[in-house]
Amino acid sequence: MGGFFGIISKSPCANTLFYGTDYHSHMGTKRAGLATMNEQGIIKRSIHRIENSYFRNKFEDELGEFSGNKGIGVISDNDPQPIVLRSHLGTFAIVTVGKINNLEELGNELLSRGINFSELSSGQINPTEVVGHLITLEQSFADGIRHVQDKVRGSCSLLLMTQDGIIAARDRYGRTPVVVGVRCGQEGTAIAFASESCSFPNLDLQLERFLGPGEAVMAQAGSLEETDLNSSLSLKQLLPPREKLQICTFLWVYYGFPTSAYEGINVEEVRFRNGELMGKEEEYQVDSVCSIPDSGTGMAMGYAVGKGVPYRQAVAKYTPTWPRSFMPADKERRALVARMKLLPNADVIRGTRLVCCDDSIVRGTQLKNNVGVFLRNGVKEIHVRISCPPLLFRCPYLHFTSARSDTELITRRIILAQKSDNLNPYIDPETPEHVAMVEGIRREMNFTSLRFNSINNMITSIGLPKEKLCTYCFDGSGCGK
Ligand code: SF4
């Protein structure tokens, strides 16, 4: 999915930029990049692969080379960023989060207008460079961002670093978040933008507000002179928020860090409520509940309260020697690494009727392997509870999985095996087709029982009206391009 962080401050920003970007490491596994601009307008940029290493290890040694009071950083699941462009609007650096489905079409359009590309990602045009060039087709950054929002099919939130300041713009439908933070303390006055609000507290940044869908704002050095930084007036609005919000529901279910919030709604609170509602609905007698760490843990704690059974750490992740994103290319070795990371606590598992909570099932391979740990350690019954409904459609708006086709989703494989090509009945949990699909997954995965959360429970836990949430991957509904 990816996440970004940007800062403009009255003092050198490299340290805050470094840690602020690092706090987005859970959002992506492929590339990371930083760029700063000094008072002379000179940009220092660096991009590294982070597949087999931590962000911090890659950038720590060169941190002293970043100078200036403003900077942007990104953790990217896709293209190398930031991109630096010299244009009629001035020299700027740009980072993006999202997915452009009409990349080729946009690229061809730009080529036909005589624009050349300098960056390639796996032989493809770099999506962030395309966005940068689309902006430069207009006469101002504000008009350029509006142009991007009108042209891109998919989603695109962005940060731009210009000579005048930092611009933040949220995706047209707000599928990914952008949050504003301010600092007025000893570390020096600053305004920051981030995908994840969890990046703020340790950097003494106060959460100021969330940008609305399509909204663009600019933090300027001049604005930092204003006395009341706790007012959103310290930001100059370039584009007002649009009406329609379609924020990704999966941020709360899976992507988000537990201490982050989107639209003012905390991730951990949602996961807890999700689990509590499922626990209250539970019909099986069980002894305890555990989670597949980490994103299932908030749900499992809520489930424990809802059902009235103890939460136990039946498995623990051994992380000290395994970078989170460590992904060997070889499939067998990948499975081995996943298994090595998860340590069972046989004394807690043996002979119990155990509920295991997890965030979602995509292909099912990982969960099947994880639950194999319980079976090998003498569990009597293993009941799996998933905090969202079955994933029936691949996400067209974010780089959610590496799945290249819908049939890689376990739901679609089971539906295919049931020789059905009409997906509609599988969306409604009350239909025999949906029940048969869940039973097919349960049998294949060797669980005692399997329940997915209902879409209503999930929406109730988040607390926003359904029309403000993207739920496309669960029910195929949604709006826009
Ligand atoms: S389709 Fe799913 S993963 Fe994609 S934006 Fe919508 S809710 Fe999020």
Side-chain angles (χ1 to χ4, degrees):
M1 175 173 173
F4 55 49
F5 183 89
I7 177 119
I8 180 165
S9 65
K10 296 297 281 182
S11 51
C13 71
N15 271 334
T16 307
L17 176 67
F18 173 70
Y19 288 109
T21 308
D22 184 43
Y23 279 130
H24 290 77
S25 294
H26 57 287
M27 306 291 275
T29 57
K30 294 220 162 46
R31 314 280 180 126
L34 296 178
T36 53
M37 188 186 275
N38 68 14
E39 288 63 37
Q40 290 73 47
I42 296 168
I43 291 178
K44 156 74 184 169
R45 177 188 78 152
S46 181
I47 299 170
H48 290 291
R49 288 184 174 275
I50 51 166
E51 281 119 331
N52 295 324
S53 180
Y54 289 117
F55 168 87
R56 279 195 309 281
N57 297 346
K58 292 281 186 169
F59 288 88
E60 207 146 33
D61 290 346
E62 60 191 39
L63 202 52
E65 297 166 29
F66 289 94
S67 63
N69 292 0
K70 53 179 176 273
I72 55 176
V74 68
I75 302 289
S76 169
D77 236 353
N78 189 31
D79 46 323
Q81 314 178 36
I83 298 295
V84 178
L85 291 178
R86 195 183 171 100
S87 75
H88 71 101
L89 296 172
T91 300
F92 66 90
I94 178 171
V95 294
T96 61
V97 165
K99 183 170 181 244
I100 303 179
N101 294 319
N102 55 336
L103 186 65
E104 208 175 315
E105 176 194 318
L106 293 175
N108 289 338
E109 198 179 315
L110 288 166
L111 286 171
S112 71
R113 297 177 78 153
I115 288 170
N116 301 313
F117 298 103
S118 61
E119 309 263 352
L120 290 177
S121 323
S122 317
Q124 269 209 325
I125 303 168
N126 182 303
T128 303
E129 187 178 12
V130 167
V131 172
H133 282 305
L134 285 173
I135 289 171
T136 63
L137 292 181
E138 301 295 325
Q139 293 309 308
S140 69
F141 284 114
D143 287 347
I145 291 166
R146 197 193 306 272
H147 183 60
V148 168
Q149 292 177 351
D150 291 343
K151 293 292 268 189
V152 163
R153 287 210 302 276
S155 79
C156 180
S157 291
L158 60 90
L159 291 181
L160 266 172
M161 179 170 62
T162 76
Q163 192 105 38
D164 295 330
I166 308 266
I167 297 171
R170 190 171 173 189
D171 167 60
R172 170 193 176 123
Y173 291 107
R175 293 198 200 271
T176 54
V178 180
V179 57
V180 184
V182 297
R183 184 169 67 198
C184 306
Q186 288 176 337
E187 293 294 310
T189 308
I191 298 177
F193 302 109
S195 304
E196 287 282 83
S197 59
C198 69
S199 59
F200 287 169
N202 285 352
L203 300 171
D204 291 330
L205 289 157
Q206 303 288 327
L207 195 157
E208 172 77 5
R209 72 180 183 91
F210 299 87
L211 293 195
E215 186 177 4
V217 293
M218 180 168 199
Q220 283 174 294
S223 68
L224 298 172
E225 303 296 345
E226 292 183 20
T227 48
D228 183 13
L229 262 181
N230 284 322
S231 158
S232 58
L233 293 175
S234 57
L235 296 174
K236 187 175 156 196
Q237 191 177 62
L238 301 182
L239 295 173
R242 297 184 187 229
E243 277 286 299
K244 184 84 186 166
L245 175 64
Q246 288 282 278
I247 184 168
C248 169
T249 308
F250 231 67
L251 282 161
W252 285 280
V253 170
Y254 170 70
Y255 286 123
F257 202 73
T259 59
S260 281
Y262 315 111
E263 312 305 313
I265 300 165
N266 179 268
V267 171
E268 179 69 6
E269 297 273 14
V270 170
R271 290 179 184 167
F272 188 94
R273 282 196 290 270
N274 249 341
E276 194 176 9
L277 288 172
M278 285 195 87
K280 280 183 180 154
E281 290 171 353
E282 182 62 64
E283 75 263 38
Y284 281 89
Q285 288 309 309
V286 293
D287 300 312
S288 56
V289 55
C290 72
S291 65
I292 301 293
D294 298 314
S295 51
T297 304
M299 178 200 174
M301 288 179 169
Y303 179 99
V305 170
K307 178 66 180 166
V309 293
Y311 169 78
R312 304 301 305 271
Q313 198 170 6
V315 286
K317 239 182 191 171
Y318 194 81
T319 50
T321 52
W322 298 105
R324 179 189 168 273
S325 56
F326 182 67
M327 277 288 171
D330 177 69
K331 201 173 157 190
E332 274 177 29
R333 197 159 152 63
R334 230 173 21 233
L336 181 69
V337 167
R339 181 174 166 183
M340 287 300 137
K341 273 190 193 172
L342 219 54
L343 287 179
N345 193 342
D347 292 337
V348 168
I349 296 169
R350 202 176 302 113
T352 61
R353 297 168 298 178
L354 187 64
V355 168
C356 173
C357 293
D358 202 1
D359 50 73
S360 55
I361 307 182
V362 182
R363 294 181 182 86
T365 328
Q366 192 137 357
L367 184 58
K368 188 174 183 181
N369 290 339
N370 290 343
V371 169
V373 170
F374 301 123
L375 298 172
R376 285 194 299 278
N377 284 277
V379 76
K380 194 164 136 200
E381 294 173 11
I382 181 72
H383 303 273
V384 173
R385 302 294 175 259
I386 304 295
S387 69
C388 63
L391 291 162
L392 284 165
F393 306 91
R394 269 183 318 142
C395 171
Y397 310 115
L398 307 170
H399 291 278
F400 164 49
T401 74
S402 55
R404 286 180 197 281
S405 112
D406 283 329
T407 52
E408 287 184 46
L409 300 171
I410 190 166
T411 49
R412 299 292 277 269
R413 275 201 293 107
I414 299 286
I415 293 170
L416 214 59
Q418 291 173 355
K419 302 199 185 325
S420 175
D421 52 11
N422 178 10
L423 288 175
N424 284 332
Y426 292 91
I427 295 167
D428 179 354
E430 303 298 327
T431 63
E433 287 88 347
H434 182 101
V435 172
M437 172 185 73
V438 174
E439 172 58 14
I441 299 171
R442 184 204 68 76
R443 232 179 302 120
E444 185 174 314
M445 309 278 275
N446 205 14
F447 306 151
T448 310
S449 74
L450 170 65
R451 297 272 181 283
F452 289 87
N453 204 1
S454 67
I455 207 153
N456 287 344
N457 273 354
M458 195 175 63
I459 290 167
T460 304
S461 299
I462 293 171
L464 285 175
K466 183 176 187 306
E467 60 272 17
K468 288 184 185 284
L469 292 165
C470 176
T471 54
Y472 176 85
C473 50
F474 311 114
D475 62 4
S477 75
C479 84
K481 31 189 207 168

